């Protein structure tokens, strides 16, 4: 049994958080294109050096770079059996087509469902401006909405939290603009394929998670969408 799910959502919509929660529940690994890019930038790999300027400006990294990055991740043993929870990829129609092809050719698998976690622009700008992250477990906190118990320390790991360098006000505005320019065609694309589920992302993390989980349960009971 495998399950390939895509999480679409603007920066700050909570797609990474939801992918991680579901990964813990279902035992399916996540693939976060943003995290892989940041790791490559940090390690100054060739991909990191090529991607750095785009990420720092809040622009999309060119499709060919991101597609070959994701395709090589899909070849790793961890993704061969249970599928993957994709966070932040695809972000364009080209990437979506390339993903379908890569899943087919590398793993002989298909996309099971696409969850669009929908949050309005005003709410997103507010969320991103107060965001900080644990460098060990990647848990996300917010200065006012979800502060850590001890200032600037992760509740689970005790590590000092950091702010992403692309969470600055100017870059955030650009990332949101870039995101909304690309999301509408992508949402339409998956809707036409009958794969789309829209989730109201302006609810608590727990409520969003239980809605996603419930939808998956309903689909599993639908014979033509059996998880087997
Ligand atoms: P995220 O962590 O998903 O918000 O991504 C951070 C940044 O990484 C984005 O603003 C882009 O510069 C880059 N990035 C992440 N995923 C992609 C993708 N699928 N295609 C192109 N660029 C991406």
């Amino acid at each position: 049994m495998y399950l390939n799910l895509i999480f679409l959502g603007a920066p700050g919509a909570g797609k990474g958080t939801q992918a991680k929660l579901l990964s813990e529940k279902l035992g399916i690994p996540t693939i976060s294109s943003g995290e892989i890019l940041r790791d490559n930038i940090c390690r100054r790999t060739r991909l990191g050096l090529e991607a750095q300027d785009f990420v720092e400006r809040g622009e999309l990294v060119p499709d060919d770079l991101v597609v070959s990055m994701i395709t090589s991740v899909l070849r790793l043993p961890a993704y061969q059996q249970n599928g993957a929870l994709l966070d932040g990829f695809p972000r364009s129609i080209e990437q979506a087509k390339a993903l379908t092809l890569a899943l087919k050719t590398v793993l002989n698998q298909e996309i099971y469902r696409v969850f669009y976690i929908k949050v309005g622009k005003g709410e997103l700008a507010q969320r991103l401006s107060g965001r900080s992250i644990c460098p060990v477990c990647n848990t996300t906190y917010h200065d006012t909405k979800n502060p850590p118990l001890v200032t600037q320390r992760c509740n689970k790991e005790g590590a000092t939290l950091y702010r992403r360098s692309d969470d600055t006000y100017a870059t955030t505005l650009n990332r949101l603009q870039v995101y909304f320019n690309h999301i509408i065609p992508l949402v339409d694309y998956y809707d036409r394929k009958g794969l789309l589920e829209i989730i109201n992302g302006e609810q608590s993390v727990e409520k969003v998670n239980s809605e996603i989980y419930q939808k998956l349960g309903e689909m599993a009971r639908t014979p033509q969408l059996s998880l087997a």
Side-chain angles (χ1 to χ4, degrees):
M1 182 189 109
Y2 67 85
L3 195 60
N4 290 305
L5 302 178
I6 294 175
F7 292 87
L8 295 181
K15 59 190 187 312
T17 303
Q18 293 301 331
K20 275 189 199 97
L21 284 174
L22 219 62
S23 168
E24 283 162 20
K25 265 188 188 161
L26 302 174
I28 300 172
T30 57
I31 299 180
S32 159
S33 47
E35 266 175 29
I36 302 172
L37 288 167
R38 282 189 290 283
D39 175 58
N40 276 273
I41 293 170
C42 213
R43 291 188 290 114
R44 303 188 61 75
T45 63
R46 195 168 148 205
L47 168 64
L49 293 174
E50 284 176 312
Q52 184 160 12
D53 277 356
F54 295 97
V55 173
E56 281 174 2
R57 286 197 310 265
E59 303 287 341
L60 289 188
V61 174
D63 286 340
D64 55 336
L65 286 182
V66 190
V67 166
S68 67
M69 172 183 98
I70 298 292
T71 308
S72 37
V73 173
L74 287 175
R75 290 183 204 282
L76 297 174
Y79 299 95
Q80 305 282 314
Q81 289 205 325
N82 295 344
L85 308 182
L86 288 136
D87 153 25
F89 182 91
R91 262 180 163 89
S92 67
I93 304 277
E94 281 314 306
Q95 292 182 13
K97 288 182 178 163
L99 173 64
T100 303
L101 190 66
L103 283 173
K104 187 85 210 147
T105 52
V106 176
L107 299 168
N108 196 25
Q109 292 182 4
E110 290 180 358
I111 295 161
Y112 182 71
R113 217 65 185 165
V114 177
F115 288 99
Y116 173 32
I117 304 177
K118 201 172 175 184
V119 176
K121 268 190 201 166
E123 170 73 15
L124 289 169
Q126 231 187 25
R127 286 186 187 184
L128 289 171
S129 56
R131 181 161 85 163
S132 53
I133 303 168
C134 171
V136 180
C137 65
N138 281 312
T139 300
T140 303
Y141 297 89
H142 190 275
D143 292 350
T144 53
K145 290 173 189 258
N146 174 30
L149 298 171
V150 177
T151 313
Q152 285 306 308
R153 296 264 173 199
C154 176
N155 294 350
K156 293 182 218 159
E157 305 291 340
T160 304
L161 305 178
Y162 72 96
R163 289 206 194 270
R164 270 174 50 173
S165 62
D166 60 350
D167 275 350
T168 62
Y169 189 68
T171 310
T172 294
L173 286 186
N174 197 28
R175 280 162 66 210
L176 290 179
Q177 194 53 51
V178 167
Y179 180 78
F180 279 102
N181 289 347
H182 287 87
I183 189 65
I184 294 160
L186 203 53
V187 166
D188 278 357
Y189 176 82
Y190 283 123
D191 196 17
R192 279 199 303 274
K193 291 192 175 298
L195 290 173
L196 189 74
E197 293 291 340
I198 299 180
I199 304 282
N200 172 8
E202 299 198 14
Q203 312 176 89
S204 69
V205 169
E206 295 73 25
K207 184 83 177 59
V208 172
N209 192 249
S210 73
E211 273 190 24
I212 293 174
Y213 209 64
Q214 191 187 333
K215 295 254 183 217
L216 284 173
E218 284 163 14
M219 287 166 217
R221 284 191 292 276
T222 311
Q224 70 270 28
L225 282 175
S226 154
L227 296 186

